[in-house]
Each structure stands twice: as structure tokens, then as C-alpha cells.
Amino acid sequence: MRKLMVTTFVSLDGVMQGPGGADEDRDGGFEHGGWSVPHFGADLIERMTTVVRRADALLLGRRTYDIFAATWPLAEADDPIGSKMNGVRKYVASRTLDTVSWQNSTLLTGDVAEAVRALKQDSGASGGGEIQVHGSGDLIQTLIELDLVDEFHVVVFPVLVGSGKRLFGRGTVPAGLKLLDTARSDSGVVISTYARAGELGYGAMGPETGNW
């Protein structure tokens, strides 16, 4: 079974909408696009490069596909992220697109849950590397609700955005998580990776329980 990993830029208050530019996603009148950009430095770019280069395939929603397909083909051939984005196999989940033209892209058809489960079960010629989801806020909500995400790579920026689309929305399935790795950038960005770890646990806290 291939691992499906969601990697997401979020504010400290959980907003993932429009981190990369003013016009990236204005749904709902969102006016804070580009909130992550001032916190990017060489160390954070290097870490994100390492993550992206692990990808054996990308799974993208329509909006993120449109943004990536318009920008990454413009990258220089020696750009480590751009070369990976352009060369890796890409699967696009969309109800509105009829075709996809970015190289190595395939439009998923039919039920998204069945399509993603099939991708996870198909080891392919590479032997079954990591499937990564970047951006794709609406698609991520569907994947979370269907319990199809194996790991969350959460990049938390030291800002409060207030309103906007959030990583964990109303369809989130209760679950336990295990912290696999955490790091801090020079600008105060905290990067953590969590894996699924069974069901959500419960207990009681207080001096009478010994859990205090």
C-alpha cells in the first residue's frame, strides 16, 4: 500500500487559504493571500525541497493544479523543486476539468474515493513511493473525511489570519496521531510530521485520577 501524505502551509490559527499570493484563492472574499511569503528563507526552502523530492506522485485538486500548471513549467531545468514537479506523475481530482495538459498529468474519473484507493494500492513501476497532496484545500477535506490520509506534514507559520479555509474542517474524522518529526526554521516556522496512530483515545484528568 502506497502512503498518502498531505503537506500543508497553515497559520497558527489553522488557516490554509491563499498562503502563496494575493490572488491565489479569494473564495469568500479572502483578503490575506500571501501570508506565508515573508517567513520563507533558505532553510525552509531546503527542507521543502527535501520533502517534495520524496514524491513518487502528486494528487492535486483543480485549483492547485491550475496554479501549478501555470507556474512550474516556467522553472529553470536545474530548479530542484520545479524539475520534480514537472517530471513526477500527477493525478488531478476535478469535476469541472475535461482535460489536463501539464506533462505527466492524468485526470481522475469516477468516484474520488475509489480512484484514490486504487492509486494507493497500485505500486507502479517505481515500487510504490509516496503520493503527496499539496495545497488542494477542498480535496484535502474529502480525503480527511474518507480517512485516506496516512501522514500530515504540517508547516505552521507564526501568524494569525483569523478567517479562511482551515486544514481540519467539519468533516474531520476523530483519530490518534503520532509525531514522527519536528523542526523549526530560522523565521519561526514549525514543521511537524504526524502519522496515523489508531483510534482517538480518551481519559480523565485531575488529582483524584493520578493524571495531574
Side-chain angles (χ1 to χ4, degrees):
M1 181 74 73
R2 302 167 81 183
K3 178 172 63 180
L4 191 150
M5 189 270 279
V6 164
T7 181
T8 312
F9 298 161
V10 298
S11 64
L12 186 59
D13 56 336
V15 175
M16 64 173 295
Q17 186 171 355
D23 296 320
E24 189 174 68
D25 183 355
R26 289 189 177 272
D27 282 0
F30 190 69
E31 297 180 347
H32 304 294
W35 50 264
S36 75
V37 177
H39 299 275
F40 265 88
D43 59 334
L44 183 55
I45 293 173
E46 180 179 358
R47 186 172 183 90
M48 290 307 304
T49 300
T50 300
V51 170
V52 169
R53 295 184 74 170
R54 292 204 315 255
D56 180 62
L58 300 181
L59 175 61
L60 304 172
R62 181 198 59 79
R63 188 191 300 271
T64 299
Y65 169 79
D66 285 343
I67 293 171
F68 282 11
T71 56
W72 285 118
L74 304 177
E76 299 293 336
D78 60 352
D79 182 315
I81 295 182
S83 60
K84 184 66 176 184
M85 289 289 191
N86 289 319
V88 75
R89 173 59 61 185
K90 294 166 280 285
Y91 298 94
V92 185
S94 172
R95 296 187 182 92
T96 57
L97 290 176
D98 295 319
T99 60
V100 286
S101 58
W102 189 14
Q103 66 185 81
N104 300 323
S105 294
T106 300
L107 185 63
L108 296 180
T109 58
D111 181 75
V112 66
E114 292 181 3
V116 173
R117 290 189 182 103
L119 284 178
K120 293 181 68 174
Q121 292 171 357
D122 180 11
S123 62
S126 66
E130 187 172 84
I131 303 170
Q132 293 186 2
V133 183
H134 294 259
S136 307
D138 292 339
L139 174 60
I140 287 174
Q141 299 311 306
T142 300
L143 297 173
I144 292 173
E145 188 171 1
L146 294 171
D147 200 21
L148 291 171
V149 181
D150 300 299
E151 287 186 6
F152 294 94
H153 183 252
V154 186
V155 186
V156 182
F157 289 76
V159 297
L160 301 175
V161 176
S163 63
K165 299 174 184 176
R166 282 171 159 73
L167 172 57
F168 296 107
R170 298 174 67 178
T172 299
V173 177
L177 298 173
K178 177 182 179 181
L179 179 64
L180 300 180
D181 179 66
T182 189
R184 176 189 179 279
S185 78
D186 292 340
S187 63
V189 177
V190 177
I191 309 104
S192 301
T193 303
Y194 299 88
R196 287 296 311 273
E199 302 298 320
L200 180 64
Y202 301 90
M205 184 175 289
E208 72 280 9
T209 68
N211 295 323
W212 189 253

